[in-house]
Amino acid sequence: MKNSFLAIFLVFLFVGWFVILCGGQEDQDVAPMETKEKERLYLAIQGFIGKQWNGSDLNPDPCGWTPIQGVSCDLFDGFWYVTGLSIGPIYDNSLPCTNAKFSHQFFELTHLRRLVLSGNRFNGEIPVSFRGLTEVLIIDLSRNNLSGSMPLTLGGLTSLLKLDLSNNKFEGKLPKEIGNLKNVTLVDLRSNKFSGGLVQSLEEMISLKEMAMSSNPIGGELSEIQWENLRNLEILDLSNTNLTGEIPESMAKLKRLRFLGLNDNKLSGNLPPKIVTMSKP
Ligand SMILES: *[C@@H]1O[C@H](CO)[C@@H](O)[C@H](O)[C@H]1NC(C)=O
Ligand SMILES: *[C@@H]1O[C@H](CO)[C@@H](O)[C@H](O)[C@H]1NC(C)=O
Ligand SMILES: *[C@@H]1O[C@H](CO)[C@@H](O)[C@H](O)[C@H]1NC(C)=O
Ligand SMILES: *[C@@H]1O[C@H](CO)[C@@H](O)[C@H](O)[C@H]1NC(C)=O
């Protein structure tokens, strides 16, 4: 008698669990996304491409069954958050940024990891609010019309792996805070108007594999940097950067270097013998 009671109780318990589990499963299929996060995404994209774009009409479930091309999402604690934004003419998403602006809601997408806004029409300076994007790994703002100095706040994005600001109108000295980017492997600053010499803290970007700065009136001398600190450096392009002085022997200590661009500068002296032997296969 006692045993059958227990058995019935266990069956009930089992069925109960089964129902709960199945119910849970059904809920997950509809990709829960907090209304606030959804609004942030819509308003961020509107900032890029204009108010005529109505996200809630076109893409009511942007991380689920009505994805927006160029937008990627990930689950955090059971809710979808935006982790990637790739928007512009070179993507298939036909969302041409006409009067592109960073709305304040954009900076509230705090799980953003990958930001690719290449080839749009961003004007003016990078907003200081960028410092809030603490999880960001990739920033590509290349081929825009951005100006002003490179914001110090980028030095606070210590998780950054790739930074591409090439083909803009950035100017002034590189901030010494750039040395805080200890994990960054690629920095592309080509074709801007950076000047004021090579900032010494560049040598603190110890994970750097590729650094391109060509076509900037940077000036100064190569000897300002202890090149041997950049042990992982494979590609270094400093062509057409108004450099003077000699090529220091410390550059020969870059054992992984595969490409060294120093053309179109005002360098003097001879190539140090160690660098000549370095380039032999
Ligand atoms: C987008 O469309 C919805 C539903 O049609 C409407 O309620 C909302 O006001 C529109 N939003 C904008 C910004 O046009
Ligand atoms: C680029 O920015 C400058 C101001 O810095 C502005 O005069 C120019 O019209 C902009 N060009 C484009 C194509 O937006
Ligand atoms: C830098 O990379 C290391 C190794 O991948 C990681 O453990 C660390 O958290 C990263 N630092 C930041 C600030 O993200
Ligand atoms: C290059 O550097 C020299 C100083 O060495 C400076 O006078 C000149 O203006 C610089 N050129 C450019 C294009 O910035």
Side-chain angles (χ1 to χ4, degrees):
M1 191 60 191
K2 228 183 190 179
N3 275 350
S4 59
F5 223 124
L6 189 65
I8 289 168
F9 176 71
L10 282 177
V11 165
F12 257 103
L13 205 62
F14 180 73
V15 169
W17 269 346
F18 189 71
V19 169
I20 288 167
L21 283 176
C22 289
Q25 202 67 46
E26 228 163 74
D27 280 352
Q28 273 176 12
D29 286 338
V30 297
M33 187 177 186
E34 283 174 352
T35 316
K36 272 197 176 157
E37 180 76 356
K38 219 185 270 190
E39 285 299 306
R40 283 176 204 134
L41 174 62
Y42 294 148
L43 291 168
I45 295 180
Q46 275 195 346
F48 298 151
I49 68 173
K51 293 224 185 299
Q52 75 284 354
W53 184 79
N54 190 328
S56 56
D57 253 7
L58 298 167
N59 307 84
D61 189 14
C63 292
W65 53 277
T66 57
I68 304 173
Q69 266 193 61
V71 176
S72 46
C73 308
D74 265 310
L75 280 172
F76 294 86
D77 296 325
F79 287 93
W80 288 114
Y81 286 89
V82 177
T83 53
L85 280 180
S86 302
I87 288 180
I90 63 167
Y91 306 100
D92 253 356
N93 51 23
S94 66
L95 296 178
C97 304
T98 44
N99 190 16
K101 284 193 172 58
F102 295 103
S103 65
H104 72 87
Q105 288 88 357
F106 163 79
F107 295 105
E108 290 160 14
L109 296 168
T110 48
H111 286 287
L112 199 62
R113 296 195 168 159
R114 184 187 155 84
L115 177 64
V116 181
L117 298 172
S118 179
N120 288 296
R121 292 194 203 150
F122 285 92
N123 270 301
E125 304 194 2
I126 292 186
V128 286
S129 311
F130 256 84
R131 79 178 135 217
L133 304 174
T134 50
E135 290 186 35
V136 80
L137 303 175
I138 295 173
I139 293 182
D140 180 354
L141 298 173
S142 63
R143 302 194 301 117
N144 279 292
N145 193 23
L146 291 162
S147 55
S149 57
M150 184 193 215
L152 308 180
T153 51
L154 288 185
L157 305 182
T158 49
S159 51
L160 208 57
L161 301 176
K162 293 183 180 176
L163 177 63
D164 188 347
L165 302 178
S166 63
N167 292 286
N168 278 288
K169 290 179 184 156
F170 290 112
E171 61 188 4
K173 210 172 149 74
L174 296 171
K176 70 175 192 314
E177 286 77 4
I178 201 172
N180 297 347
L181 307 178
K182 305 271 189 246
N183 278 3
V184 79
T185 60
L186 180 148
V187 173
D188 192 344
L189 306 176
R190 279 177 292 179
S191 300
N192 278 287
K193 294 177 192 160
F194 288 115
S195 59
L198 291 167
V199 59
Q200 203 196 338
S201 60
L202 284 177
E203 70 194 31
E204 292 162 23
M205 300 163 90
I206 49 175
S207 304
L208 211 52
K209 286 185 180 163
E210 187 172 346
M211 177 153 69
M213 294 197 188
S214 58
S215 300
N216 279 287
I218 291 177
E221 300 198 9
L222 288 168
S223 58
E224 287 162 50
I225 310 281
Q226 285 189 293
W227 293 98
E228 61 266 36
N229 291 353
L230 300 175
R231 259 172 268 128
N232 298 306
L233 203 58
E234 293 172 14
I235 294 172
L236 177 60
D237 188 359
L238 292 169
S239 51
N240 187 22
T241 50
N242 202 20
L243 291 170
T244 56
E246 300 192 353
I247 301 174
E249 292 225 356
S250 67
M251 291 194 104
K253 293 181 184 156
L254 297 171
K255 297 289 180 228
R256 303 211 172 139
L257 204 60
R258 291 183 285 116
F259 178 87
L260 176 60
L262 292 175
N263 51 293
D264 298 312
N265 281 301
K266 295 183 222 148
L267 299 167
S268 53
N270 294 318
L271 219 49
K274 277 185 180 163
I275 287 194
V276 175
T277 52
M278 185 182 85
S279 63
K280 285 183 181 160

